[in-house]
Every structure is written in C-alpha cells, then in structure tokens.
Amino acid sequence: MKKRFLIFIVAFLVTFVVGASFFVNDSVNILVYGLEGKRSDTMMVVMLDASKDSIHVISVPRDTYNPVEGHNGLGAKKLNAVYGFKEGGGTEGLISSVERITGIRIDHYIEVEYEGVKSVVDLVGGIPVNVPFDMKYSDPTATPPLYIDLKEGEQVLQGDDVIGYLRFRKSSDGKIREGDIQRIDRQQAFLKSAAVKVLSWKLPIVAKNALEYVQTDLTTFDTVKLGLGMIGASQDDLYFHVLPQERIGSGKDGLSYVFHSPEQTEALIQDIHNGVFDKEDPVEE
C-alpha cells in the first residue's frame, strides 16, 4: 500500500499533499490546519522524507501555550489565537509560532475548510469509526455552527456527523469535557480509518473533489515531484505523534493550557531524523 493516501490523512487531499516540492533524496515539512472562526483548529506538521520513504504526522494541540510579544488579551497566549492576530497573524504568524515551538522548518502549508472534509467523506460513502460515548452538543454561534448528536458504538459516519465527531470537546450538559489530547487521539484514529477507506476509491477523483476547499502554496508541479519521490513508501512507514507535553494546567489568566516539553520535542524530532521511532501502530488494511 503506497503513501499516496497521505493527503486524505492530513487534509483529505490524497494526491495533492503528496505533491510538496522536493526531489527523491530530500525532505519537506508541511503545516496542515483547519479554521474555526478567526482561530486555527486542528493543526498537524507532516514530515515527509523521500530518502527514508517515511511520513510522520505530529499533531500540535490548539491549546499549546504560546506567548507572543504584544498580544496579552484573554486567550491570546493559546497557539490557536495566532491566526487571528491583526499584526503578526494569519498563515505567516501561525507558521512562525509552530516553527518556534517544534523546532521544525515549515516549507509549505495547507489550510483546509470543513466543507472539504464533508465533501470527501460523503464522496467515499462515509468513514467507519467507534464513537467512544454519546456525543451531544449544540452551538449555533460557532463558525461554522455546530450540532452534534452521536450515539456510542461502531458506525459509519457521513459528512456532517464526521465534522461533529472531530470537533467535539464537551457535552451540552457539562458532564463530558475533553481536552486537546483526548480529541487528538480520536482524530488520529479517524484518520487511520479514513486512509484505509479512501484506498478503495480512485485517488484522482478524491483529490479533484477536495482541492476546491483548500488554500495552499503548493503547485501542481510540486505534486508530481513528491509523488515520484515517495513512490517506494509502504503502510509501515506512516507514523502519528503528539507534540510532547510537560504538563497540562492553568496559566496566570486562569485558562487551561498544554505546556509542551522543549527537551522531549527536540528528542522526538532527532529520533525522526535518525530513523528511530515507535513502529507499534502501522496503518492496516
């Protein structure tokens, strides 16, 4: 099984992400993120290394503590706030913060719309998931509005329900509250299932449908080069990680933050570069 399904994994753009610009013996790092109003939501750094035929996806919690000089408002120290800054924000600001936190050079970016995820999921007939508990939540003021009503158990989710499953953080009655890390675990499990499902489809059709819903600095020529560079990759060369954390706790403003561990993060990146990493969870057909 080739790594052509990577795009679906990181942004439901299978053949497109596989088109980042690098040749056979080079590597490229891509920041993939979604938006929720003026804040970034799901964020992942995708590290592709053609010389090792490996793809590593590092999820970066949206609540990661990220103080930026000149921005001291309530919630401004969360990583997901950077995109909405009037000065030093947007994609450039987000990339700068992610580079500072992870120590990874970002070469390209892909900004994904929720409509793109829904479109691709519906195109392939839904994605099988195991909903861990009843999920019920409603927020008409969210961007886009959020209505979640899912029952516990294994099932095939279609577009709108998939978005709810991926975005769920708490129940309307307040009995269930999830942090970034729990949500990331669900998202990664979903992405592995999605990768398997999309393989049964003609990837160009999936990619064509998804490309309408992204903003990126990648070019079509880039996709061809990376596609050639990753042609030898197999399912055993795809790995998921979470930005190493030192602790989860409250900041001086009383808000909850994920405080990452610079030392452990550096060690993880070094292990990835050296080809030393956990192989316990390959994507299965």
Side-chain angles (χ1 to χ4, degrees), residues 250-264:
S250 298
K252 293 181 179 179
D253 54 9
L255 298 180
S256 177
Y257 291 94
V258 174
F259 295 89
H260 84 290
S261 169
E263 295 79 13
Q264 292 181 42

Side-chain angles (χ1 to χ4, degrees), residues 45 58 60 97-106 243 260 265-266 269:
V45 177
I58 302 176
V60 183
S97 286
V98 170
E99 287 183 330
R100 183 175 64 255
I101 290 170
T102 64
I104 300 171
R105 179 202 72 247
I106 301 298
L243 182 73
H260 84 290
T265 300
E266 183 179 0
I269 303 307

Side-chain angles (χ1 to χ4, degrees), residues 84-231:
F85 291 166
K86 290 183 179 180
E87 294 184 9
T91 300
E92 267 190 40
L94 184 59
I95 287 176
S96 177
S97 286
V98 170
E99 287 183 330
R100 183 175 64 255
I101 290 170
T102 64
I104 300 171
R105 179 202 72 247
I106 301 298
D107 302 301
H108 297 284
Y109 74 90
I110 298 176
E111 180 183 302
V112 186
E113 297 179 15
Y114 283 119
E115 286 299 320
V117 178
K118 289 169 54 178
S119 176
V120 170
V121 168
D122 288 339
L123 176 65
V124 300
I127 304 297
V129 302
N130 184 16
V131 180
F133 46 77
D134 289 351
M135 296 181 175
K136 193 171 182 65
Y137 181 75
S138 175
D139 184 1
T141 66
T143 307
L146 189 56
Y147 302 98
I148 305 172
D149 190 4
L150 300 174
K151 298 299 182 182
E152 178 183 356
E154 295 186 5
Q155 54 199 285
V156 176
L157 297 184
Q158 303 295 330
D160 285 326
D161 286 339
V162 161
I163 299 305
Y165 175 77
L166 294 175
R167 294 179 65 190
F168 181 85
R169 292 171 63 87
K170 61 182 179 180
S171 59
S172 294
D173 60 13
K175 293 181 179 179
I176 300 175
R177 298 184 69 88
E178 283 194 322
D180 263 355
I181 305 305
Q182 291 92 339
R183 193 175 70 143
I184 284 173
D185 287 343
R186 283 192 291 104
Q187 290 174 343
Q188 292 188 346
F190 167 80
L191 291 173
K192 293 171 188 176
S193 178
V196 174
K197 182 65 181 288
V198 79
L199 287 173
S200 64
W201 279 77
K202 294 181 179 180
L203 298 184
I205 296 176
V206 176
K208 180 178 182 296
N209 197 67
L211 285 177
E212 301 176 20
Y213 302 98
V214 302
Q215 297 291 330
T216 182
D217 60 350
L218 292 167
T219 68
T220 302
F221 182 61
D222 289 335
T223 66
V224 175
K225 290 192 292 184
L226 183 53
L228 292 173
M230 298 305 296
I231 202 167

Side-chain angles (χ1 to χ4, degrees), residues 14 55 69 72 117 142 153 214 264:
V14 186
I55 297 174
E69 187 177 354
N72 300 306
V117 178
V214 302
Q264 292 181 42

